[in-house]
């Protein structure tokens, strides 16, 4: 049975001979760290927190996992751009490819929140959120 991470990867790139397990497991680890354990995105380091866990799960080296995840994340991004799916996956068009870390987080937000990353923040006014009630600009 496929995990939701694996299903998303196959949805984007279709059937492939590439091993999708490292990227799927990396997304699962990010979901656990960020959403379930509450660790902020800026504190999650791929090479320190994510890749070693995935490497242990798959009995591979961290460097091997890192290369595999980077290749497949970039393939997913390039395929999504080619197939005009970036809006559906992130909630906003992109002109340049983001970092591998950002690609993974965009996909994790889509999986966990069931909404693209940028749509979650539509209508949120950061300035208004910081101003105490009763004060005005």
């Amino acid at each position: 049975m496929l995990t939701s991470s694996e299903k998303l990867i196959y949805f984007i790139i279709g059937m492939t001979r590439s091993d999708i397990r490292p990227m799927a497991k990396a997304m699962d680890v990010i979901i656990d760290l960020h959403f379930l354990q509450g660790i902020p995105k800026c504190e999650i380091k791929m090479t320190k927190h994510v890749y070693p866990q995935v490497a242990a799960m798959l009995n591979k080296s961290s460097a091997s996992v890192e290369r595999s995840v980077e290749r497949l994340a970039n393939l997913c991004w390039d395929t999504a751009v080619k197939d005009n799916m970036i809006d559906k996956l992130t909630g906003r068009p992109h002109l340049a490819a983001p970092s591998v870390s950002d690609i993974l987080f965009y996909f994790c937000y889509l999986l966990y929140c069931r909404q693209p990353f940028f749509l979650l923040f539509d209508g949120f006014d950061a300035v208004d959120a910081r101003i105490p009630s009763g004060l005005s600009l």
Side-chain angles (χ1 to χ4, degrees):
M1 181 112 164
L2 295 174
T3 66
S4 58
S5 300
E6 292 168 329
K7 288 178 186 177
L8 178 61
I9 295 167
Y10 282 132
F11 172 77
I12 296 168
I13 63 172
M15 293 305 292
T16 181
R17 291 179 54 196
S18 298
D19 185 5
I20 68 165
R21 294 174 306 148
M23 183 170 161
K25 296 281 187 200
M27 292 189 320
D28 294 340
V29 169
I30 291 169
I31 288 171
D32 178 58
L33 293 171
H34 186 59
F35 295 105
L36 304 179
Q37 294 184 36
I39 300 172
K41 178 186 181 299
C42 62
E43 292 180 16
I44 298 173
K45 306 299 179 209
M46 293 296 162
T47 56
K48 184 176 180 183
H49 303 112
V50 178
Y51 298 146
Q53 283 190 48
V54 174
M57 289 177 202
L58 299 176
N59 200 25
K60 295 182 175 208
S61 70
S62 288
S64 171
V65 167
E66 181 176 2
R67 285 189 306 271
S68 179
V69 170
E70 286 178 0
R71 276 191 226 113
L72 195 56
N74 287 322
L75 175 63
C76 286
W77 190 263
D78 293 343
T79 302
V81 167
K82 182 182 70 126
D83 294 343
N84 296 314
M85 294 187 338
I86 295 299
D87 283 344
K88 292 177 187 173
L89 296 172
T90 68
R92 183 183 290 171
H94 287 274
L95 300 176
S99 68
V100 170
S101 172
D102 285 343
I103 292 170
L104 294 176
F105 269 95
Y106 293 152
F107 293 168
C108 289
Y109 269 83
L110 184 63
L111 289 172
Y112 191 80
C113 301
R114 303 284 185 216
Q115 266 193 303
F117 178 82
F118 291 107
L119 290 184
L120 290 169
F121 304 105
D122 274 356
F124 177 75
D125 189 342
V127 173
D128 288 342
R130 290 192 320 252
I131 300 173
S133 60
L135 296 178
S136 62
L137 294 177

